[in-house]
Amino acid sequence: MRITCGLSNQSFGNYDLQDEAKRVIYLVYGITDCPACLRACADLMELYPAKEYVFIETDFSKTYREQLKEIYNWPTFPIVIQQSEHETIVIGGYEQLKDHIASLSGL
């Protein structure tokens, strides 16, 4: 699933969104004691600093987890999102992330 979005060309202090927006950032929505969520973070950590990721803990809000499943049309956790300047792409869960990472490295 692709979601089109945009970042403004504003600057906040020394942080220039225009320069940083060129980077790809992965969002990992997960649960802290979920083995697949932990593996997703570990695999993404191996790509640092070329690729960055943020883990978004959803432990204490079942309502938020259900909303995320509906928004991203994904039934399980983790839900991995690739975000860049102009688009947001739903990678999927851990198995889909492994395939995505393999395609990046040409394996």
Side-chain angles (χ1 to χ4, degrees):
M1 172 199 312
R2 291 180 186 264
I3 302 169
T4 303
C5 64
L7 297 175
S8 71
N9 291 330
Q10 300 176 8
S11 291
F12 295 95
N14 293 329
Y15 189 81
D16 186 352
L17 286 177
Q18 195 169 23
D19 290 338
E20 289 299 315
K22 297 172 188 167
R23 295 179 142 259
V24 170
I25 299 172
Y26 293 89
L27 305 177
V28 180
Y29 292 97
I31 302 163
T32 55
D33 63 352
C34 161
C37 299
L38 297 172
R39 285 192 300 269
C41 290
D43 289 358
L44 287 168
M45 196 179 303
E46 294 293 322
L47 301 177
Y48 183 81
K51 305 290 183 193
E52 298 177 358
Y53 81 95
V54 175
F55 178 75
I56 302 153
E57 177 187 320
T58 65
D59 289 17
F60 299 104
S61 181
K62 183 178 180 179
T63 302
Y64 185 57
R65 287 194 304 270
E66 294 304 316
Q67 289 173 348
L68 289 170
K69 288 178 183 180
E70 186 175 317
I71 290 168
Y72 294 116
N73 194 28
W74 197 260
T76 59
F77 285 91
I79 299 173
V80 182
I81 309 298
Q82 177 185 324
Q83 190 167 351
S84 65
E85 179 180 8
H86 295 291
E87 66 182 353
T88 299
I89 300 170
V90 177
I91 301 293
Y94 178 64
E95 293 299 320
Q96 292 73 25
L97 176 63
K98 285 192 328 185
D99 293 342
H100 174 76
I101 290 171
S103 74
L104 293 176
S105 59
L107 298 176

